Amino acid sequence: MKPTENLSRNTEAVSDSLTVMMKREFTFSSCYEGYLNPSDPTMITADDRKKLVNWCYGVVDHCQYSRETVASAMEMVDRFLAIPSNSADAAQVC
């Protein structure tokens, strides 16, 4: 096998993986929108989220962890907060 053949296969695999990930993300984001702009003022705001992210960066910097940890953690927080609290079945819909 030539090195260019291997590179071509890797490129196709990466492209396929990215396509699947983008479809999954689009499906999620179309199900739960706008938790940062709620009509209820007692809900989390974009400013609250920014404070949480800054605090997380302070922790990972102090502990000398990868800053990618914050991105992963905030993705989980966003997904959790986007699920409507009045519907136990909402998480299973998407």
Side-chain angles (χ1 to χ4, degrees):
M1 180 184 319
K2 296 179 184 178
T4 55
E5 290 175 3
N6 190 27
L7 179 61
S8 177
R9 289 183 186 175
N10 287 340
T11 303
E12 288 174 20
V14 168
S15 176
D16 291 343
S17 294
L18 286 173
T19 300
V20 169
M21 289 167 47
M22 289 172 65
K23 284 181 183 177
R24 188 179 309 159
E25 187 65 25
F26 177 74
T27 300
F28 173 80
S29 64
S30 66
C31 290
Y32 307 115
E33 296 179 357
Y35 84 90
L36 291 175
N37 297 313
S39 58
D40 182 358
T42 62
M43 297 295 289
I44 189 169
T45 65
D47 189 50
D48 295 331
R49 185 184 184 281
K50 185 177 179 180
K51 290 175 186 175
L52 179 58
V53 169
N54 287 335
W55 178 81
C56 288
Y57 279 132
V59 170
V60 298
D61 289 346
H62 176 77
C63 296
Q64 297 180 344
Y65 295 141
S66 169
R67 285 186 143 219
E68 291 177 10
T69 305
V70 174
S72 297
M74 289 310 300
E75 180 181 2
M76 288 183 254
V77 167
D78 289 340
R79 289 177 183 266
F80 175 76
L81 291 175
I83 298 171
S85 61
N86 60 352
S87 175
D89 298 326
Q92 296 175 3
V93 172
C94 292

